[in-house]
């Protein structure tokens, strides 16, 4: 079913105005994953979507096939007291304490054979596997263990050590660190490199990320209580230097990013304050006596008045940075995770499961406004939200998997008049 998003987002160019809308594709109403991704798995030139154990071939994503066993089932008690077994888990039916075995999903050609493979982060504290594309052969894909214990609820996938290849940035066994893949023989497990002393980081730790905060060209590791400075040499797995700062003390954050939001040449930090309650903030980096410091700027919190435009939603458990309007500045993609702990486990569990992008708008004084545009109000995010160009038009689409199902939001644009553009703009709250 195709549904046109009810609220448009727009950006203005120098001499023309562009209207952004999103067309919603519901891939399934069953709960198979908290994170989905994409890739041209069959090499037909069209992007496909992977959500849970299924691949949905593009460009219409109407059919699906298993790449690994779809053996997740749930026992549902009906109104008459009888019980039935269903595949997956549709959150609205009940059985609220069930969870998926797929927290996050990424794609990469791990063995370099030209066919896109899949890596699944199943459950915090469990083994992690990548699945080898069989080059069109029938049957489930061969799986290869990456690591024995992958901790954290938002492990990242990206290049933290500067070798041009992705690593898993996470914690494991009480240590913060990153895993390097065995690129000489990727079917063998990788190697986890601790960057911290052993601490209290555990499988359900919230908040991790990476990026260059001190401008030395090396990515640092971000966590809820500060950042760890990458040394000049990684030989021998040295302990990185810790710089304390309360980005999200207490309950923790979700994904964390280093990015220069105000364009002053210094990377700032963005994350949520509590993935199961409220809060989204960016931390402006400034220097004082050569020391790196941060100033918090709330984007939204638990009251509508905390956001310039009155936007408020809970459980921002998945965040991405994406240049949604192609103006060269990264914007924020975020939403409400639906029923993270069932219908009573978190604040406002039955509020609309919204999905937003916040346009990063800079002014000449290095100030930043994050202008909210609603993509959808009945999907939200999981522990991951993904963007990518699925149809080749160079505009980013959005992919979501959670307890409401799995969804693709196709990005559509059209040129409009200045009046149409102005009418579609979110309006700031009236000054008190």
């Amino acid at each position: 079913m195709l549904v046109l998003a009810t609220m448009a987002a727009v950006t203005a160019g120098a001499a023309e105005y562009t209207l952004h809308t999103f067309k919603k594709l519901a891939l399934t109403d069953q709960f198979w994953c908290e994170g989905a991704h994409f890739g041209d798995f069959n090499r037909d030139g069209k992007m496909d979507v992977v959500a849970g154990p299924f691949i949905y071939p593009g460009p219409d994503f109407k059919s699906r096939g298993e790449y690994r066993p779809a053996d997740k089932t749930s026992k549902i008690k009906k109104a008459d007291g009888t019980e039935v077994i269903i595949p997956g888990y549709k959150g609205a039916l009940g059985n609220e304490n069930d969870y998926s075995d797929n927290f996050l999903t990424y794609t990469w050609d791990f063995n370099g054979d030209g066919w896109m493979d899949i890596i699944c982060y199943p459950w915090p504290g469990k083994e992690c596997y990548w699945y080898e594309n069989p080059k069109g052969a029938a049957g489930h894909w061969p799986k290869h263990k990456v690591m024995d214990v992958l901790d954290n609820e938002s492990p990242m996938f990206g290049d933290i050590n500067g070798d041009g290849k992705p690593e898993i940035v996470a914690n494991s066994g009480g240590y913060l660190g990153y895993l390097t893949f065995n690129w000489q023989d990727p079917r063998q497990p990788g190697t986890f490199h601790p960057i911290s002393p052993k601490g209290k980081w555990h499988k359900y730790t919230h908040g991790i990320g990476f990026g260059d905060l001190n401008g030395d060209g090396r990515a640092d590791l971000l966590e809820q209580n500060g950042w760890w400075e990458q040394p000049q040499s990684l030989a021998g797995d040295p302990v990185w230097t810790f710089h304390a700062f309360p980005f999200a003390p207490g309950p923790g954050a979700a994904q964390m990013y280093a990015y220069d939001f105000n364009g002053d040449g210094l990377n700032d930090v963005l994350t949520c304050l509590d993935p199961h309650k409220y809060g989204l903030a960016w931390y402006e980096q400034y220097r004082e006596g050569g020391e790196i410091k941060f100033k918090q700027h709330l984007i939204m919190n638990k009251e509508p008045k905390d956001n310039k435009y009155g936007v408020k939603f809970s459980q921002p458990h998945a965040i991405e940075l994406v240049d949604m309007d192609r103006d060269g500045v990264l914007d924020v993609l975020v939403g409400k995770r639906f029923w993270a702990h069932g219908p009573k486990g978190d604040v406002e569990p039955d509020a609309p499961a919204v999905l937003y992008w916040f346009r990063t708008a800079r002014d000449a004084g290095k100030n930043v406004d994050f202008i909210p545009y609603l993509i959808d109000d009945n999907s939200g995010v999981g522990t991951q939200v993904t963007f990518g160009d699925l149809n080749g038009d160079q505009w980013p689409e959005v992919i979501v998997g959670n307890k409401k199902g799995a969804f693709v939001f196709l990005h559509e644009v059209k040129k409009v008049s200045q009046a149409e553009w102005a009418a579609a703009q979110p309006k700031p709250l009236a000054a008190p």
Side-chain angles (χ1 to χ4, degrees):
M1 179 175 65
L2 304 182
V3 180
L4 189 66
T6 57
M7 187 165 182
V10 292
T11 54
E16 59 184 17
Y17 297 84
T18 303
L19 174 69
H20 299 255
T21 59
F22 293 85
K23 185 178 292 185
K24 182 178 182 180
L25 307 183
L27 306 186
T28 179
D29 63 359
Q30 295 174 341
F31 173 42
W32 289 99
C33 61
E34 294 278 4
H37 218 269
F38 67 99
D40 182 7
F41 302 112
N42 56 8
R43 299 214 310 185
D44 66 351
K46 307 293 183 182
M47 287 296 175
D48 315 305
V49 168
V50 53
F54 301 108
I55 291 175
Y56 297 82
D60 58 14
F61 315 108
K62 291 182 178 179
S63 63
R64 73 182 188 184
E66 294 181 16
Y67 80 91
R68 58 182 175 88
D71 52 9
K72 173 77 172 171
T73 58
S74 293
K75 184 181 291 186
I76 301 298
K77 182 173 287 188
K78 298 170 65 176
D80 61 5
T82 61
E83 292 183 336
V84 296
I85 301 294
I86 64 167
Y89 161 57
K90 187 177 179 182
L93 291 178
N95 198 13
E96 63 268 17
N97 293 318
D98 204 357
Y99 297 95
S100 80
D101 61 351
N102 192 165
F103 257 54
L104 298 96
T105 303
Y106 293 99
T107 58
W108 190 264
D109 181 6
F110 287 98
N111 56 3
D113 64 357
W115 293 76
M116 190 63 71
D117 308 304
I118 298 168
I119 185 168
C120 174
Y121 296 180
W123 181 266
K126 299 291 187 180
E127 304 92 344
C128 178
Y129 296 90
W130 72 274
Y131 293 81
E132 183 177 356
N133 193 322
K135 304 178 183 178
H140 293 144
W141 295 17
K143 72 176 184 178
H144 309 288
K145 184 187 289 188
V146 174
M147 64 187 302
D148 291 322
V149 179
L150 175 58
D151 293 337
N152 204 287
E153 291 204 10
S154 307
M156 304 288 270
F157 184 76
D159 184 12
I160 189 173
N161 64 2
D163 67 351
K165 296 179 180 178
E167 288 81 45
I168 297 176
V169 181
N171 53 281
S172 181
Y175 297 90
L176 292 170
Y178 61 97
L179 177 130
T180 55
F181 294 90
N182 186 339
W183 296 112
Q184 287 69 41
D185 186 359
R187 294 178 178 85
Q188 301 301 314
T191 301
F192 184 75
H193 304 266
I195 64 99
S196 71
K198 190 167 186 177
K200 296 182 179 181
W201 299 284
H202 54 83
K203 61 183 178 180
Y204 299 129
T205 292
H206 287 72
I208 201 162
F210 64 98
D212 183 7
L213 286 184
N214 57 3
D216 64 0
R218 297 184 294 270
D220 308 302
L221 190 144
L222 315 177
E223 52 119 332
Q224 65 184 87
N225 296 309
W227 59 284
W228 297 77
E229 180 181 347
Q230 182 172 162
Q232 287 187 339
S233 173
L234 297 177
D237 290 338
V239 172
W240 297 13
T241 301
F242 179 61
H243 303 271
F245 186 85
F247 292 117
Q255 288 88 357
M256 302 181 70
Y257 296 96
Y259 180 69
D260 182 8
F261 286 100
N262 59 0
D264 66 355
L266 301 175
N267 276 341
D268 312 300
V269 173
L270 179 132
T271 191
C272 71
L273 303 183
D274 187 333
H276 296 291
K277 291 183 180 179
Y278 302 99
L280 183 70
W282 73 283
Y283 294 84
E284 179 184 2
Q285 182 183 157
Y286 67 97
R287 303 291 174 92
E288 191 173 87
E291 183 181 355
I292 293 176
K293 295 189 175 183
F294 296 95
K295 178 182 179 182
Q296 185 194 74
H297 300 272
L298 280 178
I299 298 174
M300 65 173 187
N301 209 349
K302 61 183 179 180
E303 301 293 341
K305 64 182 176 60
D306 295 325
N307 176 263
K308 179 179 178 179
Y309 302 90
V311 171
K312 182 209 76 169
F313 55 85
S314 65
Q315 304 193 60
H317 209 304
I319 311 167
E320 260 290 2
L321 298 185
V322 51
D323 187 0
M324 192 68 80
D325 53 3
R326 299 196 330 204
D327 66 350
V329 178
L330 295 183
D331 310 299
V332 180
L333 179 62
V334 64
K336 174 184 174 68
R337 184 182 177 193
F338 176 68
W339 281 15
H341 299 108
K344 299 179 181 179
D346 301 284
V347 297
E348 297 187 338
D350 290 322
V354 294
L355 178 63
Y356 273 89
W357 71 280
F358 288 75
R359 180 164 67 90
T360 305
R362 299 169 174 169
D363 68 17
K366 307 298 182 182
N367 300 305
V368 183
D369 190 10
F370 291 90
I371 305 174
Y373 300 108
L374 180 67
I375 296 174
D376 186 58
D377 65 359
N378 190 25
S379 56
V381 299
T383 50
Q384 180 183 23
V385 60
T386 301
F387 71 90
D389 181 9
L390 298 184
N391 54 16
D393 65 357
Q394 300 182 19
W395 291 99
E397 274 72 50
V398 180
I399 307 167
V400 170
N402 59 20
K403 288 184 175 69
K404 282 187 173 288
F407 307 92
V408 167
F409 296 90
L410 298 177
H411 193 163
E412 298 184 336
V413 299
K414 68 175 181 178
K415 303 302 179 184
V416 298
S417 68
Q418 184 176 8
E420 289 177 285
W421 177 84
Q425 290 300 292
K427 303 301 188 289
L429 296 176

